Amino acid sequence: MSNIKNAGSYIPRHKALLAMAFVLAVLSTIVLADDRIFRVARISLIEGEVSYQRANDTQKDWYDATLNLPLDVSDQIYSGPNGRAEIQLSGRNLVRIDQNSNLRISQFNTGLIQLALPIGTATFRVDSLDRRQFQVVDATDVNSDDPVYFEVDTPVVAITFLKEGSYRVNVREDGTTEVIVRRGRAEVYNKEIGSVTIKQGRRVVIEGRDDYYQIVRLEDKDGWDRWNDRRDDELFARI
């Protein structure tokens, strides 16, 4: 066997390995980007009775929720009379539900977070609406610089969080919805009232029966608000 190599085609072994590794990394990124599935929601805190239901479960199938349980599209969780839960989303965004509350994930990807709150109380801590927060971003998406669209649907309105901030949504049995903006800016919409913008330090109540609404100043914090403040303090202390 000849030990003479063609000088024009010879590539050192270490460079060949590096090139191969680079190609594999690129291909892996492309596959993940084409997949467009991002399962990055998980239950990060449970207090009391909290249950969950998968998308393919029947209406009667509910199971005890566990810490770090991943949640996917069409999954939902429910908190009992003494239950509370926290769900961590991508970009350091958090959702916390109080007792007797039902939350469902309608859509969830790099550009859209859509949740449903049929009844109960939920607080939304939105720390980032930058879709580049995701570890894998669709390289073919021409709108990759646009902010994440974050929407919460109740029986009477669709609520959009327009800025990073702290929001609370209360939904009564008749669908009456209260939106509280402690920090940030939100928009509520339905066909009857159109689009209504809620600025920081304001709250709006949309009646479930006659679609009447009024924007007023915030009231003093209650026990649920103070519980959220303590939870935020715990998280910041860990960081």
Side-chain angles (χ1 to χ4, degrees):
M1 180 181 293
S2 174
N3 291 325
I4 300 175
K5 300 182 175 66
N6 187 333
S9 61
Y10 174 66
I11 301 176
R13 179 178 176 81
H14 69 283
K15 290 186 178 181
L17 292 176
L18 287 174
M20 185 179 296
F22 175 78
V23 171
L24 290 175
V26 171
L27 291 175
S28 298
T29 303
I30 293 174
V31 170
L32 288 172
D34 288 343
D35 197 16
R36 299 185 63 83
I37 298 176
F38 300 90
R39 299 182 176 89
V40 285
R42 71 179 185 92
I43 297 179
S44 51
L45 178 69
I46 295 175
E47 288 188 3
E49 179 186 351
V50 178
S51 55
Y52 75 97
Q53 184 182 86
R54 295 297 188 193
N56 296 326
D57 294 337
T58 65
Q59 293 183 352
K60 296 182 179 179
D61 291 335
W62 287 88
Y63 307 94
D64 292 338
T66 56
L67 200 61
N68 294 319
L69 179 76
L71 297 174
D72 205 343
V73 174
S74 297
D75 291 348
Q76 57 183 326
I77 66 172
Y78 180 81
S79 55
N82 64 340
R84 285 174 173 173
E86 176 186 84
I87 301 97
Q88 287 188 355
L89 307 174
S90 294
R92 307 180 308 278
N93 297 324
L94 299 170
V95 183
R96 300 184 184 118
I97 61 171
D98 198 7
Q99 59 187 14
N100 297 319
S101 300
N102 180 208
L103 183 77
R104 183 177 70 253
I105 299 178
S106 302
Q107 297 189 65
F108 192 37
N109 54 51
T110 55
L112 171 64
I113 299 175
Q114 185 180 20
L115 309 175
L117 185 69
I119 191 170
T121 295
T123 291
F124 303 85
R125 181 186 174 92
V126 183
D127 278 1
S128 176
L129 292 176
D130 185 353
R131 69 174 65 192
R132 291 170 298 184
Q133 65 193 286
F134 293 83
Q135 294 181 356
V136 181
V137 178
D138 189 349
T140 64
D141 188 355
V142 296
N143 300 315
S144 59
D145 291 333
D146 293 343
V148 173
Y149 185 82
F150 199 138
E151 178 180 296
V152 177
D153 299 322
T154 78
V156 297
V157 291
I159 307 159
T160 306
F161 302 139
L162 303 177
K163 296 179 63 176
E164 290 81 0
S166 178
Y167 306 90
R168 172 174 169 175
V169 179
N170 304 318
V171 183
R172 303 174 190 167
E173 291 185 358
D174 66 350
T176 295
T177 300
E178 179 182 24
V179 183
I180 298 172
V181 180
R182 296 209 173 271
R183 180 170 53 87
R185 188 170 74 246
E187 181 182 82
V188 298
Y189 171 82
N190 68 21
K191 292 182 179 179
E192 285 71 24
I193 68 174
S195 297
V196 179
T197 300
I198 313 161
K199 297 180 180 179
Q200 180 171 307
R202 300 286 181 174
R203 69 185 180 97
V204 62
V205 178
I206 304 94
E207 299 292 338
R209 296 179 180 177
D210 54 12
D211 294 305
Y212 169 80
Y213 78 92
Q214 183 179 13
I215 299 177
V216 296
R217 291 185 179 274
L218 295 185
E219 297 179 345
D220 293 336
K221 292 185 176 182
D222 59 11
W224 171 246
D225 295 318
R226 291 189 289 272
W227 183 87
N228 276 272
D229 289 343
R230 290 193 298 270
R231 177 59 178 167
D232 286 341
D233 292 339
E234 292 176 2
L235 293 177
F236 278 117
R238 295 177 185 176
I239 295 175

